[in-house]
């Protein structure tokens, strides 16, 4: 299956073109491990749901 651009909902790296989130996810993971509070506050289609799904799916 060829990758495509996704403009609705969660991006899946195997199916969709997407930016590299690994650095962002590692930084958020450090905050979670330290017990810090954080917010993800951005406009539509910025990757909020995709970022949270990456955090939940992988152990960074």
């Amino acid at each position: 299956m060829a990758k495509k651009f996704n403009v609705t909902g969660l991006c899946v790296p195997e199916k969709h073109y997407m930016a590299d989130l690994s650095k962002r996810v590692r930084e958020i993971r450090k905050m979670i491990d330290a017990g810090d509070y954080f917010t993800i506050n951005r406009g539509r289609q910025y990757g909020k749901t995709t970022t949270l799904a990456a955090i939940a799916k992988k152990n960074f």
Side-chain angles (χ1 to χ4, degrees):
M1 171 186 272
K3 287 187 177 186
K4 64 179 185 174
F5 287 99
N6 183 22
V7 295
T8 59
L10 181 67
C11 288
V12 179
E14 295 80 24
K15 295 181 180 180
H16 305 115
Y17 292 110
M18 56 186 286
D20 182 14
L21 300 175
S22 58
K23 182 178 177 185
R24 182 185 309 173
V25 171
R26 280 193 302 270
E27 292 298 317
I28 294 171
R29 189 78 228 172
K30 287 179 192 175
M31 294 174 71
I32 292 169
D33 292 342
D36 294 339
Y37 288 95
F38 67 95
T39 63
I40 298 177
N41 183 9
R42 289 292 188 170
R44 293 181 68 244
Q45 300 298 312
Y46 199 84
K48 299 175 298 288
T49 302
T50 302
T51 299
L52 290 174
I55 292 167
K57 183 178 178 180
K58 298 179 181 178
N59 265 335
F60 285 91

